[in-house]
Amino acid sequence: MPRTTFAAAIDQALAEAMARDDRVVVLGEDVRTLRRGLYVRFGGTRVLDAPISEAALLGCALGSAMAGLRPVVEITFVDFVAVALDQLLNHAAKVEAFSGGRWRAPLVVRAACGGGYGDAGQHEQALWGLLAGIPGLSVVVPSTPADAAGLMATAVDHPGPVVFLEHKLLSEYWLDYLGGARRPGVEFDVPADGAVGDVPDPVLPVPLGSAVVRRRGDDVALVSLGVGVHRCLQVAEILAGEGVDAAVLDLRSVAPLDRRAVTDLAQLTGRVVVVDEDYTRGGLSGEIAAVLAEDGVDATYARVTTEGTIPYARRLETATLPNVSRILTAARSLTERA
Amino acid sequence: MPRTTFAAAIDQALAEAMARDDRVVVLGEDVRTLRRGLYVRFGGTRVLDAPISEAALLGCALGSAMAGLRPVVEITFVDFVAVALDQLLNHAAKVEAFSGGRWRAPLVVRAACGGGYGDAGQHEQALWGLLAGIPGLSVVVPSTPADAAGLMATAVDHPGPVVFLEHKLLSEYWLDYLGGARRPGVEFDVPADGAVGDVPDPVLPVPLGSAVVRRRGDDVALVSLGVGVHRCLQVAEILAGEGVDAAVLDLRSVAPLDRRAVTDLAQLTGRVVVVDEDYTRGGLSGEIAAVLAEDGVDATYARVTTEGTIPYARRLETATLPNVSRILTAARSLTERA
Amino acid sequence: MNRGAAGSPRVERLTELYRVMCRARFAEQALRDLWHRGLVSGEMHLGIGEEAVVAGVVTHLRDGDALALDYRSTPPLVARGVELEPLLLEVLGSEDGLCGGRAGHMHLMSRPHLAAASGIVGAPGPLVCGLGLAAKHAGAGGVAVAFFGDGAVNEGMLMESLNLASVWRLPVLFVCKDNRWAVTTRSAALTGGGLARRLGAFGLPVARVDGTDVERVDRVAGRLVARLRRGGPASVLLARCERGEGHFLGDPLVRMAGAAGELTAEVRPLLRLLGGPGAPLSARVGALLSIGRRVAVAGGPRPRWRDPMRRAARRLPDRVARAVERSAKAEVDSAVDAALRRTGFADA
Amino acid sequence: MNRGAAGSPRVERLTELYRVMCRARFAEQALRDLWHRGLVSGEMHLGIGEEAVVAGVVTHLRDGDALALDYRSTPPLVARGVELEPLLLEVLGSEDGLCGGRAGHMHLMSRPHLAAASGIVGAPGPLVCGLGLAAKHAGAGGVAVAFFGDGAVNEGMLMESLNLASVWRLPVLFVCKDNRWAVTTRSAALTGGGLARRLGAFGLPVARVDGTDVERVDRVAGRLVARLRRGGPASVLLARCERGEGHFLGDPLVRMAGAAGELTAEVRPLLRLLGGPGAPLSARVGALLSIGRRVAVAGGPRPRWRDPMRRAARRLPDRVARAVERSAKAEVDSAVDAALRRTGFADA
Ligand SMILES: Cc1ncc(C[n+]2csc(CCOP(=O)(O)OP(=O)(O)O)c2C)c(N)n1
Ligand SMILES: Cc1ncc(C[n+]2csc(CCOP(=O)(O)OP(=O)(O)O)c2C)c(N)n1
Ligand SMILES: [Mg+2]
Ligand SMILES: [Mg+2]
């Protein structure tokens, strides 16, 4: 399998989908530049630059999906979804329900998310919990190139709306554009196995709602997604040195949530640390506690999340986002308690 | 204490605040009609009708708060906040954080919320979990006229942004306007003690983040807010007949959350049923599970929430919103298990 | 204009238009009755008074064309050919309804007609762009039409959509039904620059038309739709019209104006507010008067209301008009009967 | 225009304006250097090229006036009197910064100046309305000014704000800095009806001005602000200007154009895409050429770039211009030195 970057993997999935299905179109601000490969290959009728009008753009994509297209609409950063949330909350998510199941909208919303490169809290949010809280939306957050390609392939074929979030720390071009990554002395804590990896050709679809165990372990379960998965793997390595076997679960989908994978691992280990780059009350870390409680799983619980607005200064930013040392502390608080 | 309707109680709190403080203004679509009492008493410079432009309106209110006013801005229904969420998520909630604590915005966002009168899922959402998930916002949901007045009084004086949600099932005029409540044969399940009650004159402020126990009981804790509180009280009455002592906690604030009140009652009863009109994954019901798990409270847990888009037909709507029979089933599932 | 000669093409076309208008009007009147009988829940926004705009535009659509609607969507859906019984069943909350009872009148959808409504002001804008984009992609000359009100032009997403349709050259017709009101506010006071200039600010041609005159609407809309099919630019149709029923059924302004008792009950507490601390008296009296004016204008009798139905009927031979009315009425009545029987409300 | 006589009122005013421009320009150049040295994190949007617009407008503000800014906010903040050192410290991420290191360059705020920036396109619109509403409420003749770009006029909230300011008669000045680009797209292609007509669609008077000519901006803005203080209507100032640095530092278009190596690295894989399944070859070549054009226009040398600094300086007596530059440079340099010392970066 060829080694591929995270962004190239998504491009590959899109190129395959666009070659296979004439109804797949890419809409968004600056997409003829950002997705110039797709633009050159599929031309101007398939890749459309949009004005800075996210609400109209998202609603337009939705309408086109209702009328037979398979749009992949880009909202550059997930933070900007806030100017267009109505189109997701009150429209895309409700077409199937309001039509009594007679109409569905095969829409993909692609957005960059996440922090760690110094852009501060209006551009670095996760927000996947907020979106996953809306019944009728699927939300996916890949942590590897193979999953990025596989989830995009699935999203494009899915009959309902899917939000596909691309973590900027895994996408070289974003870090380069936004973070000025090539400057001297500028360093980002980029997880190597997230940024580059093996991607099957053709892309292997990854089903929605299916988590994957990235590392097995009996003592404590680290449950995460996106960049957090890689932080957890680092922590698991450190814990192994201390004689603690940590499992790492990569949720991949925020909605639907793979309840079974979570409860199985919780049952096995009796200890759960949720590592969620979204806000503490964003919804995901709480939902996992609720799932465990509803299913009567007897497990201790801790979470490492983003507690407030992400500050600009790199030092403060690092402390605010879930980092290895905070995860380690949380895991130890559970393993040392027992 | 005079008997007052829910809506009149809010008006009373606003009238007191406007009389006391010239900086308090009311902005919103149709407010000169909806709040005609305030308009007549305080005139056109204090009560401004807005065009149908929620994003500009909310942002304008925020800016005015930053520059010294104390606006109460109405977004008619909380569902419509979705067209203006950016102003809450990326602006109002972040002024304090981004300014390093040097600038705060004393903004009140008032919106009607909730279902039970047949308007369906674009007009009947709760959405308090979504809003409370944003660090920097306070969110309150009163369940009685006294709390409505008291929380509005507090909200107006609060130095930061507060979202004040008014449940339509408690507000006579909304049911009349929207539900055509006076038609023959039209009935809504309006909780009498929520719609009318004693309100101190002058209004007694209710602090943010302070829950209140509406009924004491040792066997199971029903944790709720808004209309749900009254449903829980009904259930507690039924359970009492079965020899089960149910406590009912009225959260009143979704954010900040009164963690202590929740964990205390959970500890006491060992059983928690969260009754939340918001979506299952809206955030609140999950957060309560997380709080219990983080604090290591040993309690069983169930929740009664809105699982999907609220359907139009009254029968389906009733089944979708948390109702007495669903709450009863959930409570029994915990009390009979033990 | 005077009556056309029976059998002339003009009369034939007008008869067709009048038939569409009658079906829409009677269907809405049926909904109004059902609502007042308590068989329909929630709000109810009618399009009574908008029939000429609806018929004049929608009759130009054909298979594969699409509709983006606001919450006054029954008339266009009926005009587009959605069957009456499932539509009524929907609003009655039946599982056999058009949308299984899930939608109600604010969110009616018919996939075969590519038609969807929304209760969010401005939402028809983004939707119609998408429907138009799909039509353009299909390349078969399909068009998409949006209906929305005068107040909606202040909603950001609607303005964004006018621009998007313009710069992407989408085969889209925006129809603004200007009744001069948004709930209880006069739109003119809150629409800077005026409606026509606003709609014209996005590079789209704007045609203005008297929306109570179905023949005029028909001619203009026909031209605009045909131009769209030939690849012409997205366009705006600004149609002045008036509604008789206020914003929604039970509109408080209409009710206050209609019933002396209600008005008194409303005004008495307001008068009390003229004393006590607050604004200077002049400001208070001004506020009170402005509320009074709203009530008077919104709810007062409409001596000059040009009912589009009457205007159309007067131009038809009497016999033709009556025959159209009778058959439309019979059709609606039988659909109502069937729907009521099906839901078990027949004897309610 | 030729140089004014030393000591004349015109020269005095221009000297003042040029001083403001120099401070802004040198501060931005300092930020650029710090960014390139890796001492500033994240994106960096400069306002180099916008100094004449900024100085010509902001120098008319006084205590109690307010500013709603976009992400190119350093020049207006410097012009408004925010101290340089805390500003630099902020962007260096120091806890001693203007906002404790929490804001960075995209969210700079200064409460004493009632000035706040945002990284969300269009956000200055709603904000300026609120700042203006408070000023109107205070009744002391205060005004509020918003700065935003040409691309931002397609953002719904900005259009809504133009309307709101119009119908509420807020003492607000909207300043649109038209550089003809939004990131990598030409705004003209995506702004239906054109910028001037769009801005004029809300009932507000629109003044157009050459934004590279500080004296013109000064005159027009002075008139507009004075009118606002007297209770006149909200207004729009549309100022054409050009930036030299692309959208942000490290702008890929600029970089591609600047470095032959980068361009080749970018283009080679695109050329490979001319074969294989996909659109017809002509469409592909068209796409490739359009990317090329973007690069050329965005990043190419600007032979006709009318640097507002140079234009202003040429009208001043040489000696005066040099003196102003020297003192501004010295001030900025010493602020940079102090900031670097304070953060411990002095030797980095
Ligand atoms: C985003 C949003 N804001 C506000 C409302 C409440 N609302 C419903 S209809 C309406 C007035 C719309 O006026 P107009 O566009 O003129 O249409 P009309 O009702 O007169 O047909 C308002 C404000 C809404 N449904 N959605
Ligand atoms: C709501 C929103 N959409 C998109 C962006 C991304 N973005 C940042 S700047 C920009 C271009 C703005 O162009 P213009 O208004 O002309 O300002 P300029 O950058 O040219 O000064 C875009 C699209 C954003 N920050 N916010
Ligand atoms: Mg109207
Ligand atoms: Mg620009």
Side-chain angles (χ1 to χ4, degrees):
Chain A
M1 282 193 289
R3 304 279 298 167
T4 309
T5 65
F6 196 83
I10 303 172
D11 261 358
Q12 184 185 333
L14 285 172
E16 284 181 19
M18 293 176 80
R20 188 176 63 231
D21 186 343
D22 174 54
R23 298 168 305 172
V24 180
V25 295
V26 173
L27 317 174
E29 292 158 27
D30 299 295
V31 288
R32 287 186 175 170
T33 308
L34 288 170
R35 315 297 165 220
R36 48 191 175 275
L38 300 175
Y39 174 41
V40 168
R41 179 153 167 209
F42 297 101
T45 59
R46 307 284 298 282
V47 180
L48 278 82
D49 270 343
I52 311 177
S53 307
E54 289 82 3
L57 173 65
L58 196 43
C60 174
L62 171 61
S64 76
M66 291 173 69
L69 294 187
R70 292 193 161 266
V72 178
V73 60
E74 300 206 16
I75 302 295
T76 319
F77 287 15
V78 71
D79 316 69
F80 310 157
V81 166
V83 305
L85 187 72
D86 167 67
Q87 287 298 327
L88 285 180
L89 173 68
N90 292 323
H91 294 93
K94 291 182 171 46
V95 170
E96 186 180 357
F98 278 153
S99 70
R102 291 161 180 79
W103 207 344
R104 301 185 72 180
L107 167 75
V108 181
V109 180
R110 173 183 181 175
C113 75
Y117 61 96
D119 242 358
Q122 249 180 7
H123 288 68
E124 296 199 326
Q125 297 169 96
L127 299 185
W128 47 63
L130 184 152
L131 295 169
I134 301 171
L137 294 187
S138 302
V139 180
V140 299
V141 186
S143 73
T144 67
D147 279 359
L151 286 168
M152 180 54 91
T154 301
V156 172
D157 284 342
H158 188 69
V162 180
V163 179
F164 179 100
L165 298 179
E166 171 187 359
H167 201 295
K168 279 164 277 172
L169 222 51
L170 302 178
S171 267
E172 209 181 16
Y173 71 104
W174 278 130
L175 286 183
D176 186 26
Y177 291 2
L178 308 170
R182 304 192 204 173
R183 292 175 290 154
V186 170
E187 267 169 44
F188 304 117
D189 189 2
V190 175
D193 295 337
V196 184
D198 296 333
V199 175
D201 182 3
V203 166
L204 192 70
V206 172
L208 302 182
S210 138
V212 63
V213 176
R214 295 283 179 207
R215 178 182 178 124
R216 309 203 161 273
D218 296 341
D219 294 329
V220 58
L222 309 178
V223 176
S224 191
L225 74 175
V227 164
V229 170
H230 303 281
R231 306 280 186 255
C232 288
L233 287 167
Q234 270 182 277
V235 167
E237 202 58 47
I238 299 171
L239 288 174
E242 300 171 6
V244 174
D245 273 354
V248 176
L249 184 69
D250 182 351
L251 293 171
R252 303 201 286 194
S253 294
V254 190
L257 187 68
D258 192 341
R259 278 180 85 107
R260 184 62 192 278
V262 172
T263 52
D264 280 358
L265 208 58
Q267 214 112 41
L268 179 75
T269 58
R271 299 182 190 88
V272 173
V273 179
V274 180
V275 176
D276 180 7
E277 192 179 321
D278 201 356
Y279 296 125
T280 311
R281 296 198 54 179
L284 176 59
S285 62
E287 183 61 16
I288 288 173
V291 162
L292 297 176
E294 281 187 313
D295 288 3
V297 178
D298 191 20
T300 55
Y301 169 97
R303 55 181 166 176
V304 181
T305 58
T306 298
E307 280 163 28
T309 295
I310 304 167
Y312 164 71
R314 291 302 308 281
R315 199 175 46 74
L316 301 174
E317 180 197 40
T318 302
T320 301
L321 297 172
N323 58 41
V324 167
S325 110
R326 287 174 62 207
I327 301 169
L328 206 47
T329 306
R332 286 185 186 137
S333 78
L334 299 190
T335 54
E336 288 167 12
R337 202 195 296 174
Chain B
M1 281 192 290
R3 305 276 299 165
T4 308
T5 65
F6 196 84
I10 303 172
D11 262 357
Q12 182 184 334
L14 286 172
E16 283 181 18
M18 292 176 81
R20 187 177 65 231
D21 186 345
D22 175 55
R23 297 168 305 170
V24 179
V25 295
V26 172
L27 317 174
E29 294 158 28
D30 300 295
V31 287
R32 287 185 176 171
T33 308
L34 287 172
R35 316 298 164 219
R36 47 193 175 273
L38 301 174
Y39 174 41
V40 168
R41 178 155 168 208
F42 298 101
T45 59
R46 306 285 297 283
V47 180
L48 279 82
D49 270 343
I52 311 177
S53 308
E54 289 82 3
L57 173 65
L58 196 43
C60 173
L62 171 62
S64 76
M66 291 173 70
L69 295 186
R70 293 194 160 262
V72 178
V73 60
E74 300 207 17
I75 302 296
T76 319
F77 287 16
V78 72
D79 316 70
F80 311 156
V81 166
V83 305
L85 186 73
D86 167 68
Q87 286 298 328
L88 285 179
L89 172 69
N90 292 323
H91 295 94
K94 292 182 169 47
V95 170
E96 185 180 358
F98 279 152
S99 70
R102 290 160 179 79
W103 207 345
R104 299 186 73 180
L107 167 74
V108 181
V109 181
R110 172 183 181 176
C113 75
Y117 62 96
D119 241 0
Q122 247 180 10
H123 288 68
E124 297 199 327
Q125 296 169 99
L127 299 183
W128 47 64
L130 184 151
L131 295 168
I134 301 170
L137 295 187
S138 302
V139 180
V140 299
V141 186
S143 72
T144 67
D147 279 0
L151 286 168
M152 180 54 90
T154 301
V156 172
D157 284 342
H158 189 69
V162 180
V163 179
F164 178 100
L165 297 180
E166 172 187 0
H167 200 295
K168 280 164 277 172
L169 223 50
L170 302 178
S171 266
E172 209 180 17
Y173 72 105
W174 278 129
L175 286 183
D176 186 25
Y177 290 2
L178 307 171
R182 303 192 205 173
R183 293 174 292 154
V186 169
E187 268 169 40
F188 304 119
D189 190 2
V190 175
D193 294 340
V196 184
D198 296 334
V199 175
D201 182 5
V203 165
L204 192 71
V206 172
L208 301 181
S210 137
V212 63
V213 176
R214 295 284 179 204
R215 179 182 177 126
R216 309 203 161 273
D218 296 342
D219 295 329
V220 57
L222 309 178
V223 177
S224 191
L225 73 175
V227 164
V229 169
H230 302 281
R231 306 280 186 254
C232 289
L233 288 167
Q234 270 182 277
V235 167
E237 202 56 47
I238 298 171
L239 288 173
E242 301 172 3
V244 173
D245 273 355
V248 176
L249 185 70
D250 182 351
L251 292 171
R252 303 200 287 194
S253 293
V254 190
L257 187 68
D258 191 341
R259 279 179 82 109
R260 184 63 191 278
V262 172
T263 52
D264 280 356
L265 208 56
Q267 215 113 40
L268 178 75
T269 58
R271 298 180 191 92
V272 173
V273 179
V274 180
V275 177
D276 179 7
E277 192 179 323
D278 202 357
Y279 296 125
T280 311
R281 296 198 54 180
L284 176 59
S285 63
E287 182 62 17
I288 288 174
V291 161
L292 297 176
E294 281 186 314
D295 288 3
V297 178
D298 191 21
T300 55
Y301 169 97
R303 55 182 163 172
V304 181
T305 58
T306 298
E307 283 165 25
T309 295
I310 303 168
Y312 163 70
R314 290 303 305 282
R315 200 176 46 73
L316 301 174
E317 179 197 41
T318 302
T320 301
L321 298 172
N323 58 43
V324 168
S325 109
R326 288 174 61 205
I327 302 169
L328 206 47
T329 307
R332 286 188 186 134
S333 78
L334 299 190
T335 54
E336 288 167 11
R337 202 194 295 174
Chain C
M1 256 178 265
N2 35 31
R3 293 176 195 267
S8 76
R10 178 177 165 207
V11 165
E12 256 174 47
R13 176 65 184 153
L14 182 56
T15 305
E16 172 52 21
L17 290 166
Y18 190 56
R19 187 186 321 280
V20 170
M21 294 171 72
C22 283
R23 293 178 75 242
R25 169 69 60 96
F26 298 149
E28 294 251 290
Q29 287 175 337
L31 287 178
R32 183 179 59 191
D33 294 345
L34 295 172
W35 190 86
H36 280 298
R37 285 168 65 191
L39 301 179
V40 173
S41 58
E43 296 170 74
M44 175 52 67
H45 309 82
L46 297 178
I48 287 183
E50 300 180 351
E51 294 88 351
V53 185
V54 166
V57 170
V58 175
T59 51
H60 293 285
L61 302 187
R62 62 186 194 202
D63 251 32
D65 289 341
L67 274 175
L69 304 170
D70 64 12
Y71 39 87
R72 302 186 198 281
S73 67
T74 323
L77 289 173
V78 169
R80 190 73 189 86
V82 171
E83 282 177 59
L84 289 172
E85 195 183 325
L87 202 152
L88 290 164
L89 283 169
E90 180 60 32
V91 182
L92 287 166
S94 160
E95 305 242 358
D96 298 326
L98 185 65
C99 303
R102 266 73 176 176
H105 89 284
M106 276 196 286
H107 322 100
L108 291 166
M109 297 192 202
S110 175
R111 188 177 184 179
H113 300 93
L114 292 175
S118 172
I120 302 295
V121 169
L127 180 60
V128 83
C129 287
L131 298 170
L133 180 64
K136 182 172 178 168
H137 199 83
V143 305
V145 176
F147 286 96
F148 54 89
D150 47 305
V153 302
N154 289 323
E155 189 65 64
M157 67 173 129
L158 191 84
M159 293 188 270
E160 292 182 355
S161 301
L162 289 160
N163 182 56
L164 191 62
S166 173
V167 299
W168 280 2
R169 296 188 62 86
L170 301 175
V172 161
L173 176 62
F174 292 92
V175 181
C176 179
K177 302 165 295 171
D178 176 19
N179 75 326
R180 314 225 161 163
W181 282 88
V183 198
T184 73
T185 58
R186 300 284 284 167
S187 294
L190 295 175
T191 307
L195 199 50
R197 193 195 312 185
R198 177 75 58 80
L199 291 166
F202 302 88
L204 304 182
V206 178
R208 299 182 75 152
V209 68
D210 175 351
T212 63
D213 183 337
V214 71
E215 290 187 285
R216 276 178 206 275
V217 177
D218 178 47
R219 263 195 312 277
V220 177
R223 223 166 32 230
L224 296 177
V225 170
R227 192 167 68 187
L228 286 176
R229 293 203 198 285
R230 291 193 309 267
S235 327
V236 180
L237 180 63
L238 172 52
R240 178 84 182 79
C241 58
E242 245 174 282
R243 286 198 309 268
E245 304 280 345
H247 179 68
F248 43 30
L249 290 179
D251 186 326
L253 292 186
V254 174
R255 232 162 44 190
M256 280 184 225
E262 293 219 19
L263 188 56
T264 320
E266 278 300 336
V267 168
R268 191 166 307 128
L270 295 182
L271 286 174
R272 239 179 284 129
L273 294 173
L274 292 178
L281 185 64
S282 63
R284 299 191 203 197
V285 172
L288 197 60
L289 288 177
S290 93
I291 293 177
R293 267 194 305 277
R294 281 185 190 193
V295 172
V297 182
R302 303 204 178 296
R304 294 170 308 145
W305 186 37
R306 300 205 292 178
D307 185 344
M309 307 295 296
R310 225 172 315 133
R311 295 195 72 190
R314 272 206 301 263
R315 293 183 198 159
L316 282 174
D318 227 29
R319 187 181 42 76
V320 175
R322 292 304 90 77
V324 166
E325 288 157 14
R326 260 194 316 274
S327 93
K329 188 83 176 56
E331 189 197 345
V332 170
D333 284 348
S334 92
V336 171
D337 284 348
L340 287 178
R341 266 197 313 276
R342 191 115 156 231
T343 49
F345 285 135
D347 320 298
Chain D
M1 254 179 268
N2 35 31
R3 293 177 195 267
S8 76
R10 178 177 165 206
V11 164
E12 254 174 48
R13 175 67 184 151
L14 183 56
T15 305
E16 171 52 20
L17 290 166
Y18 190 57
R19 186 186 321 280
V20 171
M21 293 170 73
C22 284
R23 292 178 75 245
R25 169 69 59 99
F26 297 150
E28 294 252 288
Q29 287 174 340
L31 286 178
R32 183 179 59 193
D33 293 346
L34 293 172
W35 189 87
H36 281 298
R37 286 168 65 190
L39 301 179
V40 173
S41 58
E43 297 171 71
M44 176 52 67
H45 309 82
L46 298 179
I48 287 183
E50 302 180 352
E51 294 87 353
V53 185
V54 166
V57 170
V58 174
T59 50
H60 294 283
L61 301 187
R62 62 184 194 203
D63 250 30
D65 290 341
L67 273 175
L69 304 170
D70 65 12
Y71 40 87
R72 304 187 195 280
S73 66
T74 323
L77 289 173
V78 170
R80 190 71 191 89
V82 171
E83 281 176 60
L84 288 171
E85 194 182 327
L87 202 151
L88 291 163
L89 283 169
E90 179 62 31
V91 182
L92 287 167
S94 160
E95 305 242 0
D96 299 325
L98 184 64
C99 303
R102 265 74 177 175
H105 89 284
M106 277 197 283
H107 323 99
L108 292 167
M109 299 192 203
S110 174
R111 185 175 188 180
H113 300 92
L114 292 176
S118 172
I120 302 295
V121 169
L127 179 60
V128 83
C129 288
L131 299 171
L133 180 65
K136 181 172 178 167
H137 199 82
V143 305
V145 176
F147 286 97
F148 54 89
D150 47 308
V153 301
N154 289 323
E155 190 65 64
M157 68 173 129
L158 191 82
M159 293 188 271
E160 291 182 354
S161 302
L162 289 160
N163 181 57
L164 191 63
S166 171
V167 299
W168 279 2
R169 296 187 62 87
L170 302 174
V172 161
L173 176 63
F174 292 92
V175 182
C176 179
K177 303 166 295 173
D178 176 20
N179 76 326
R180 314 225 161 161
W181 282 88
V183 198
T184 73
T185 60
R186 298 285 283 169
S187 294
L190 294 175
T191 307
L195 200 49
R197 192 191 318 181
R198 176 75 57 81
L199 291 166
F202 302 86
L204 305 181
V206 179
R208 300 181 75 150
V209 70
D210 176 350
T212 64
D213 183 337
V214 71
E215 290 187 283
R216 276 177 203 275
V217 177
D218 179 45
R219 260 197 313 276
V220 177
R223 223 167 31 229
L224 295 176
V225 169
R227 193 166 66 185
L228 285 177
R229 294 201 198 284
R230 292 192 309 268
S235 326
V236 180
L237 180 65
L238 172 52
R240 178 83 181 80
C241 59
E242 244 174 285
R243 286 197 309 269
E245 302 281 343
H247 179 69
F248 42 30
L249 290 179
D251 185 327
L253 292 185
V254 174
R255 231 162 43 188
M256 281 183 223
E262 294 220 20
L263 187 56
T264 319
E266 279 298 337
V267 167
R268 192 167 305 128
L270 295 181
L271 286 175
R272 238 181 282 128
L273 294 174
L274 293 178
L281 185 63
S282 63
R284 299 191 203 197
V285 172
L288 196 60
L289 289 177
S290 93
I291 293 176
R293 267 195 305 275
R294 282 185 190 192
V295 172
V297 182
R302 305 206 176 293
R304 292 170 308 145
W305 186 39
R306 299 205 293 181
D307 185 344
M309 307 294 297
R310 224 169 318 132
R311 294 195 74 189
R314 270 205 304 261
R315 294 182 198 160
L316 282 173
D318 229 28
R319 184 181 43 77
V320 175
R322 294 302 90 75
V324 167
E325 289 157 13
R326 259 196 314 276
S327 95
K329 188 82 180 58
E331 188 197 347
V332 170
D333 283 349
S334 94
V336 170
D337 284 349
L340 287 176
R341 266 198 314 276
R342 190 112 155 236
T343 49
F345 286 133
D347 321 296

